[in-house]
Amino acid sequence: QVTVNGKVAIMPVILKNIMVTRVENAILVKRPGASLKYEIPNDVFTFELSPFYAGRTMGLWGTFNNEHVDDFTEPSGKVGIIF
């Protein structure tokens, strides 16, 4: 079930450039350049990002520059601890 502005909406839901759909046992949220998939039975999320965003991300998604050593860079520029 999806709610938009407090009202239940029927999928697929399209808001500007974001689409929310359900395909079998998964919920898909897509927009140009990015998609999020939630596999309900396995409780697994998969996030895909266009190469356009390479080197433009921080935080949870890492730096997306193919250098794993700086994926935990904090806003201050300090590289966090890698476990």
Side-chain angles (χ1 to χ4, degrees):
Q1 179 174 315
V2 175
T3 58
V4 178
N5 296 325
K7 297 179 183 177
V8 175
I10 298 171
M11 287 194 267
V13 174
I14 301 172
L15 301 168
K16 295 185 180 182
N17 63 349
I18 299 173
M19 182 170 67
V20 181
T21 58
R22 181 167 182 161
V23 178
E24 297 178 8
N25 288 325
I27 304 291
L28 303 172
V29 180
K30 291 185 175 185
R31 61 160 288 160
S35 67
L36 177 68
K37 179 180 180 182
Y38 173 55
E39 297 175 38
I40 299 166
N42 302 321
D43 199 28
V44 171
F45 285 89
T46 304
F47 185 71
E48 294 183 8
L49 196 58
S50 162
F52 171 80
Y53 294 101
R56 298 178 181 183
T57 62
M58 294 179 79
L60 183 61
W61 310 121
T63 54
F64 194 32
N65 64 1
N66 290 323
E67 296 291 337
H68 72 278
V69 295
D70 65 1
D71 275 347
F72 293 98
T73 301
E74 298 173 4
S76 66
K78 177 184 172 190
V79 178
I81 298 171
I82 299 173
F83 295 95

